Amino acid sequence: MSRPPLHVVTYNIHKGFSQFNRRLVVHELRERLQQLAPDIVFLQEVQGLHMKHAARRADWPAAGQHEFLAEKIWQAAYGQNMVYDHGHHGNAILSRFPILSAHNQDVTHLQFEKRGLLHCRIALADGSPVHCVCVHLSLFGVSRRLQMDALARYLDALDDPDAPLIIAGDFNDWRDRAGKYLARRLGLREVFTTHDSHPEIRPIRSFPAGLPLFRLDRIYVRGFAVHDTVIHQGGVWAKISDHAALSAYLARNET
C-alpha cells in the first residue's frame, strides 16, 4: 500500500521580523505555518530568547519562538547556536510525529559566525524512523565546505547510515556546490531539481522573498519519492521574512 505524502517545509524566519526588521511578524508567521499544515518544519534564525525585546515589546511571545510556533500542533526541538548576553538564536525542527531524539552538532568554523546542525530522529505515522537535519550554513565558501564535510561525517557515524534522510535549511550556497557534494557523499537529491512528477523542473530561487534572485534554501532527501514542490514567495510571504518558504510533498520509497 502506498503511503500518503509527507509534507515538509523549510523556512528562514529572520528571528520573527520582516525584512529590514521593520515589523514583528512572528504571529503572522504562526498563522501561515498553520495554514500550510506541514508534518515537519525546518526553521532557521529562530529566536530562542531575547530579553531586550521581551522587556520592550508587549507583543513579544512569552515562550521561545520554536515553542510559540509549535504550540498545540507540533513537537519542537531547538538548537541554540549564537549566544549573547541578552539571548540566543538557532535552528528548530517542528514535528507532528514523535521526536525520538534530538542533538545539536556544533560546526562553527569562524567564531563570530556560530553554526550548528540540528539532528532529530522522528517516528513517522507508520512508526518508521527518519533522520531530519536542519542546517544554516556559513556565508563563506571555505566554511560551508568544512560544515558540509562535518555533516557527512556526522551522518556516516550513525548506527543506520542508509536510513531515510531529510536535510533542509538555508545553505547560503548561491554557487550550487552543495548538491553534488551531498549526492556523492550521502546519496541525497534536491527536491526541486529532481521532481518525480515534473522532471523538467528548474532550480528555484528563494532570496529575497519579494523577488528571489539567489538559490539559498534547499530540501535534500534520501529514501523518498518527490510528489510535489511549492515555493511560497511574494505577496504576504514577502512581508513575513526575507526568505521564501519551501514545501515538498514526499512519500517513502517502497522496499
Side-chain angles (χ1 to χ4, degrees):
M1 180 182 296
S2 61
R3 300 181 178 91
L6 176 74
H7 181 193
V8 302
V9 166
T10 185
Y11 201 12
N12 182 323
I13 66 170
H14 200 238
K15 304 186 185 74
F17 284 88
S18 64
Q19 192 169 16
F20 306 118
N21 297 320
R22 289 171 177 163
R23 296 185 302 118
L24 178 67
V25 294
V26 69
H27 300 83
E28 298 168 49
L29 170 61
R30 183 167 70 172
E31 292 179 7
R32 286 287 159 184
L33 286 179
Q34 289 175 353
Q35 289 171 7
L36 288 182
D39 298 303
I40 303 175
V41 190
F42 299 75
L43 299 174
Q44 306 86 52
E45 293 194 24
V46 178
Q47 193 76 65
L49 176 69
H50 199 295
M51 291 184 288
K52 292 182 179 180
H53 288 328
R56 295 170 182 169
R57 305 189 63 107
D59 55 352
W60 188 257
Q65 289 180 351
H66 54 293
E67 296 174 333
F68 174 78
L69 294 172
E71 186 178 9
K72 298 180 181 179
I73 296 179
W74 298 281
Q75 292 186 22
Y78 170 69
Q80 65 180 47
N81 297 327
M82 195 70 182
V83 181
Y84 22 89
D85 59 358
H86 54 276
H88 49 78
H89 67 264
N91 299 326
I93 292 177
L94 314 183
S95 174
R96 289 187 187 275
F97 308 116
I99 297 176
L100 304 176
S101 62
H103 171 71
N104 196 47
Q105 180 73 18
D106 185 6
V107 291
T108 298
H109 176 233
L110 302 171
Q111 288 305 308
F112 64 85
E113 190 191 44
K114 300 286 187 178
R115 302 290 179 176
L117 309 170
L118 179 60
H119 168 221
C120 290
R121 189 167 175 266
I122 294 173
L124 298 181
D126 62 359
S128 60
V130 59
H131 292 284
C132 296
V133 183
C134 185
V135 308
H136 187 187
L137 300 187
S138 172
L139 294 169
F140 303 95
V142 172
S143 296
R144 285 196 299 275
R145 288 193 293 274
L146 292 171
Q147 288 161 358
M148 284 191 290
D149 186 59
L151 169 63
R153 286 187 281 107
Y154 173 81
L155 293 171
D156 282 342
L158 297 178
D159 292 336
D160 48 353
D162 297 322
L165 172 63
I166 305 171
I167 301 177
D170 180 357
F171 284 76
N172 276 316
D173 179 36
W174 51 85
R175 295 183 179 178
D176 198 18
R177 293 176 175 173
K180 292 180 180 178
Y181 179 87
L182 294 174
R184 183 178 72 252
R185 282 293 303 269
L186 297 170
L188 290 156
R189 57 183 189 147
E190 203 278 322
V191 299
F192 279 87
T193 53
T194 56
H195 194 317
D196 295 83
S197 300
H198 301 283
E200 76 282 358
I201 198 164
R202 301 287 184 180
I204 55 87
R205 298 178 175 89
S206 59
F207 181 87
L211 183 63
L213 300 174
F214 300 102
R215 186 171 177 248
L216 304 187
D217 304 273
R218 314 281 177 79
I219 301 172
Y220 294 95
V221 298
R222 183 180 68 200
F224 291 91
V226 183
H227 282 206
D228 198 6
T229 53
V230 182
I231 177 169
H232 310 283
Q233 68 182 59
V236 295
W237 289 100
K239 299 176 182 178
I240 297 176
S241 174
D242 54 349
H243 285 249
L246 307 182
S247 280
Y249 294 84
L250 313 172
R252 283 283 304 277
N253 289 338
E254 298 295 335
T255 57

